[in-house]
Amino acid sequence: MATFLYRLGRFSFRKRHFVALFWVALLALAGAGAAGAPAAGNSSFSIPGTEAQKAFDLLDERFPGTSADGATARVVFKAPDGQKMTDPGNKAAVQDTVDELSGGTEVAQVTDPYQGGGVSQDGTVAYSSVTYKVPGMELEESSREALKAATEDARDSGLTVEIGGDALQAIPETGSAEIIGIGIAAVVLVITLGSLLAAGLPLLTAIVGVGIGVATITALANTLDLGSTTSILASMIGLAVGIDYALFVVSRYRAELAEGREREEAAGRAVGTAGSAVVFAGLTVVIALVGLSVVNIPMLTKMGIAAAGTVAVAVLIALTLIPAVLGYAGRRVRPAGEKSKLLGGGRAKGKADRPNMGTRWASFVVRRPLAVLLLGIVGLGAAAVPAGSLELGLPDDGSQPTSTTQRRAYDLLSEGFGPGFNGPLVVVVDAQGSDDPQAVFQQAGDEIKALDNVVNVAPAAPNEAGDTATIAVIPDAKPSSVATEDLVHDIRAVGADIKDGTGAEVLVTGATAMNIDVSQKLNDALVPYLVLVVGLAFLLLIVVFRSILVPLKAALGFLLSVLAALGAVVAVYQWGWLSGLMGVEETGPIMSMMPIFMVGVVFGLAMDYEVFLVTRIREAHVHGENPRQAVVTGFRYSARVVTAAAVIMMAVFAGFIGSSDSMVKMIGFGLAIAVLFDAFVVRMAIVPAVLALLGAKAWWLPKWLDRALPNVDVEGESLAAHDGVAGKDDEDKELVRA
């Protein structure tokens, strides 16, 4: 591995024109594809294997032409103080609005509040439901403008009018905070690398990688049914790992220069050593992201694969484009240590032997390993306590900022019709195999009415064939409450009894039931996912470190950091701690996908730092140092760069907290805090403490396993034979043969 990458690094350095042209052409090709592709919409949200999805599919089959997947809007009207919606003037204004909405070319159906029971019991609130023929993200802008314009006349008459539903849903915006995150990353790079040019290389190559990844996703969005958030999450992860991987290669290149090697040789050795760590670190991230497919939620699978593809591009760029760009930079990228105190904290020659911060910290840890270990575990354990109160759900209009019309419509409906009105349940009764379908419909409605937490049960609405009916059920509690979840389970229990007695099938669907099923599916998949991803990465790390205990320690440390990060997410987004600082206007359940997505991404990133840090420690140990001294040596060379990489990744992730999308906002915070815990507590404190306590046992491997495992040579031992003596033609031939 190290020898092949060494040759690849030298080849890329020497043939930099060809390599640079290849990546520029690839970026241009992806950009052209993206420019000619239609805008990404919402990925179709299907959850195979759930009752809610089965009912939804049945509706499509038995009620054709109803636009079950079309966009919806609820236009909510509130009368001025002292008036009723049934007053003639208000009624006329609503009727005009309904008539105007009905004229839209993409509108499938508009309900009249006065004919469909759309007026609240006290007469102060009314609503009209608008159903479109196409999904929300495929609506023409003219349809959205017509929806807004139709409500203006009603507002002019004195009514309060708000619009809920997904018809006004827009592509999420990440906001200026993302730019601030990149700015912070640039400052950290300048301080770490000591020059503007060296700092610009990781940023430039990371942007190229993300550009290729995001442009490819955009180009394929409609073909592969990729949602609008897919490219945002891919750019979030791709940018973070792209900067970090490039930083490690550039840092190693400068270290090799400081040892007196020629620039081409330094580039080859940097790719052969740091590049090996990049390959295995990238593999762990890819495994974690692709492993999300085991959950069997298509949207999550696509997000994971798209992000994994962007990470793979970042790895390839670090191995090829970085040495090529270093070739262009020439002597303007200086050896490590040749930088000013202002930019890099470099030491004057007279102080060259003074231990750096990484050395001093590692020396402290190896002297008091037990105390540091206990303090780190107790601290992360305390941060993880809120995770015990984790409640899962999917965001709805109730989680929107109060400044949005969707949130105000949600609140008006809760005020006029009760909190459960925003999360109606749709019960589908399939009586195709029953002797008396009408009697089954009546029985189902009566038994559901008798349940607790039910406000209203609408009469059954059968299809044209008369063998299937829908029953709308309004719960007493808000959609995300435990009471509503219990009601869904109670209705399904009633349905099981009806099926035993009549043969008819009773299914519960709707957005609320779908959210409940998603949460359950994700909970059920979490353990198998952990076993698969952690198991594969554990085997990979055994190959990398040639040890059993080091990979085990890495996995346990990851569990600590991810639990602590989940605890922080619960404290902020569910309990409301520091919610104002984080821009959280409404607390509530944590997004259902958050735990498993965080596990996948954080595991991959945690293994990044593990590989980068511990390979340096193992390299020192392999070269003859005792275990404790190897820890100190590893930190002397890698702690500064790993710290910089963690700060950069935190800054990039934290930038997405400014997103307009609540899911992206929560993921940005969760990943940023997880990197903080994992990099600075687990990898910088717990890892050296454990290695110091284990001593030589940390690197124990059964002899039979040592013989069976391939030697990937992450430390670059084989590079001792390569000191730049091979000719250029020979190197090219060797690369082709490899």
Side-chain angles (χ1 to χ4, degrees):
M1 170 69 78
T3 301
F4 169 77
L5 293 179
Y6 165 81
R7 294 168 182 162
L8 179 62
R10 294 194 63 178
F11 174 85
S12 299
F13 185 96
R14 189 167 56 253
K15 304 292 185 181
R16 47 188 171 273
H17 302 311
F18 169 76
V19 173
L21 182 62
F22 170 80
W23 284 109
V24 170
L26 195 59
L27 178 61
L29 182 64
N42 269 352
S43 177
S44 56
F45 192 77
S46 62
I47 313 295
T50 62
E51 180 175 315
Q53 184 64 46
K54 183 179 179 182
F56 186 81
D57 295 339
L58 187 64
L59 285 174
D60 274 349
E61 177 188 339
R62 304 285 174 85
F63 293 82
T66 57
S67 301
D69 61 344
T72 59
R74 273 181 171 177
V75 182
V76 188
F77 308 87
K78 184 179 181 181
D81 292 342
Q83 297 183 26
K84 302 285 188 181
M85 288 305 305
T86 51
D87 293 346
N90 295 335
K91 189 172 182 179
V94 172
Q95 193 63 56
D96 289 343
T97 302
V98 170
D99 292 342
E100 189 174 348
L101 288 170
S102 300
T105 57
E106 293 184 311
V107 174
Q109 182 182 13
V110 182
T111 63
D112 187 332
Y114 302 100
Q115 295 181 6
V119 181
S120 64
Q121 192 170 4
D122 62 5
T124 61
V125 180
Y127 76 94
S128 172
S129 293
V130 185
T131 305
Y132 291 87
K133 300 173 183 177
V134 296
M137 295 302 290
E138 296 179 15
L139 274 179
E140 295 287 343
E141 190 60 32
S142 58
S143 295
R144 292 194 177 93
E145 292 301 324
L147 175 60
K148 296 174 185 176
T151 63
E152 288 301 324
D153 292 338
R155 287 195 180 99
D156 293 341
S157 69
L159 295 175
T160 299
V161 187
E162 305 294 348
I163 306 170
D166 63 352
L168 293 183
Q169 187 173 9
I171 296 176
E173 298 177 355
T174 54
S176 59
E178 180 186 357
I179 304 300
I180 296 174
I182 295 176
I184 294 173
V187 172
V188 173
L189 286 170
V190 171
I191 294 173
T192 304
L193 298 177
S195 76
L196 292 174
L197 179 63
L201 297 183
L203 281 176
L204 173 64
T205 56
I207 290 172
V208 170
V210 170
I212 292 172
V214 171
T216 303
I217 291 169
T218 303
L220 299 176
N222 274 42
T223 304
L224 301 181
D225 191 26
L226 303 177
S228 56
T229 56
T230 303
S231 60
I232 294 178
L233 295 173
S235 66
M236 178 194 301
I237 296 168
L239 188 61
V241 300
I243 294 174
D244 278 6
Y245 294 166
L247 171 62
F248 280 100
V249 174
V250 172
S251 297
R252 187 61 183 249
Y253 170 76
R254 296 177 68 243
E256 295 293 338
L257 289 179
E259 294 184 10
R261 291 190 171 87
E262 292 297 325
R263 294 186 177 274
E264 183 179 326
E265 176 68 13
R269 285 181 171 270
V271 175
T273 52
S276 297
V278 166
V279 169
F280 284 99
L283 274 175
T284 59
V285 180
V286 169
I287 288 172
L289 290 170
V290 173
L292 290 170
S293 58
V294 303
V295 183
N296 196 26
I297 295 180
M299 184 180 77
L300 192 61
T301 299
K302 293 170 186 175
M303 287 167 58
I305 292 175
T310 308
V311 171
V313 171
V315 171
L316 293 175
I317 281 180
L319 300 179
T320 57
L321 186 56
I322 282 290
V325 175
L326 288 172
Y328 284 116
R331 297 187 180 279
R332 284 168 290 183
V333 175
R334 294 174 292 179
E338 289 187 17
K339 49 189 176 180
S340 68
K341 292 184 178 181
L342 177 62
L343 290 179
R347 305 296 180 186
K349 290 184 178 180
K351 299 180 179 179
D353 293 333
R354 180 180 174 182
N356 61 19
M357 181 62 73
T359 302
R360 295 197 297 273
W361 170 250
S363 299
F364 169 80
V365 173
V366 297
R367 286 198 304 269
R368 300 173 179 82
L370 188 58
V372 172
L373 177 62
L374 291 177
L375 185 61
I377 291 175
V378 170
L380 290 178
V385 168
S389 303
L390 178 68
E391 296 177 9
L392 298 178
L394 286 178
D396 55 20
D397 285 348
S399 62
Q400 296 271 7
T402 53
S403 59
T404 62
T405 186
Q406 293 96 327
R407 171 59 187 277
R408 292 195 293 264
Y410 180 97
D411 292 340
L412 285 177
L413 288 172
S414 296
E415 175 187 332
F417 299 91
F421 196 78
N422 283 294
L425 304 175
V426 179
V427 179
V428 183
V429 184
D430 179 8
Q432 196 173 56
S434 173
D435 296 333
D436 189 354
Q438 192 59 46
V440 174
F441 301 155
Q442 186 65 43
Q443 179 187 354
D446 292 343
E447 293 196 26
I448 292 172
K449 282 180 185 178
L451 296 174
D452 294 333
N453 299 318
V454 173
V455 171
N456 184 55
V457 177
N463 62 349
E464 289 186 7
D467 58 5
T468 308
T470 60
I471 302 173
V473 180
I474 306 299
D476 185 42
K478 64 180 182 179
S480 58
S481 68
V482 176
T484 300
E485 183 177 351
D486 291 340
L487 176 59
V488 170
H489 294 314
D490 291 343
I491 295 174
R492 287 172 173 169
V494 166
D497 294 338
I498 292 175
K499 184 175 183 179
D500 290 341
T502 65
E505 192 168 17
V506 178
L507 307 171
V508 186
T509 190
T512 301
M514 185 70 82
N515 290 354
I516 292 169
D517 286 353
V518 168
S519 299
Q520 186 60 51
K521 190 176 183 69
L522 289 166
N523 283 338
D524 293 343
L526 186 57
V527 172
Y529 174 70
L530 274 173
V531 171
L532 173 67
V533 172
V534 177
L536 287 175
F538 181 78
L539 294 176
L540 184 65
L541 291 179
I542 289 177
V543 174
V544 173
F545 296 129
R546 308 194 75 79
S547 163
I548 298 293
L549 296 180
V550 170
L552 180 62
K553 170 226 10 126
L556 294 177
F558 150 74
L559 292 176
L560 274 175
S561 58
V562 80
L563 285 174
L566 277 176
V569 170
V570 170
V572 173
Y573 289 88
Q574 187 175 309
W575 292 1
W577 294 5
L578 302 177
S579 56
L581 181 63
M582 296 298 166
V584 181
E585 296 191 25
E586 182 71 20
T587 59
I590 304 304
M591 182 186 65
S592 298
M593 294 184 185
M594 185 68 187
I596 200 161
F597 189 82
M598 180 181 282
V599 164
V601 176
V602 174
F603 181 78
L605 300 180
M607 295 307 103
D608 274 4
Y609 298 119
E610 181 76 15
V611 170
F612 289 134
L613 189 63
V614 179
T615 48
R616 268 293 198 172
I617 297 173
R618 175 170 168 74
E619 184 177 343
H621 181 65
V622 166
H623 292 160
E625 295 188 9
N626 67 62
R628 292 200 171 198
Q629 184 57 43
V631 171
V632 175
T633 300
F635 267 68
R636 179 167 70 247
Y637 289 115
S638 61
R640 179 185 178 87
V641 181
V642 168
T643 299
V647 172
I648 289 169
M649 198 169 282
M650 288 169 57
V652 172
F653 287 149
F656 288 83
I657 297 175
S659 172
S660 62
D661 186 277
S662 58
M663 179 175 74
V664 175
K665 181 190 292 283
M666 188 182 295
I667 288 176
F669 171 79
L671 294 182
I673 201 73
V675 170
L676 173 67
F677 289 148
D678 194 84
F680 292 101
V681 180
V682 175
R683 308 304 154 189
M684 287 293 178
I686 293 178
V687 165
V690 171
L691 290 178
L693 288 171
L694 290 175
K697 296 177 183 177
W699 309 108
W700 172 79
L701 187 70
K703 291 183 179 179
W704 63 269
L705 185 57
D706 186 44
R707 289 192 298 268
L709 291 177
N711 183 12
V712 296
D713 188 23
V714 177
E715 299 81 18
E717 281 187 277
S718 59
L719 299 186
H722 296 271
D723 285 315
V725 295
K728 294 180 180 180
D729 294 337
D730 293 339
E731 288 289 341
D732 292 345
K733 292 175 182 178
E734 288 175 357
L735 177 61
V736 172
R737 286 198 300 271

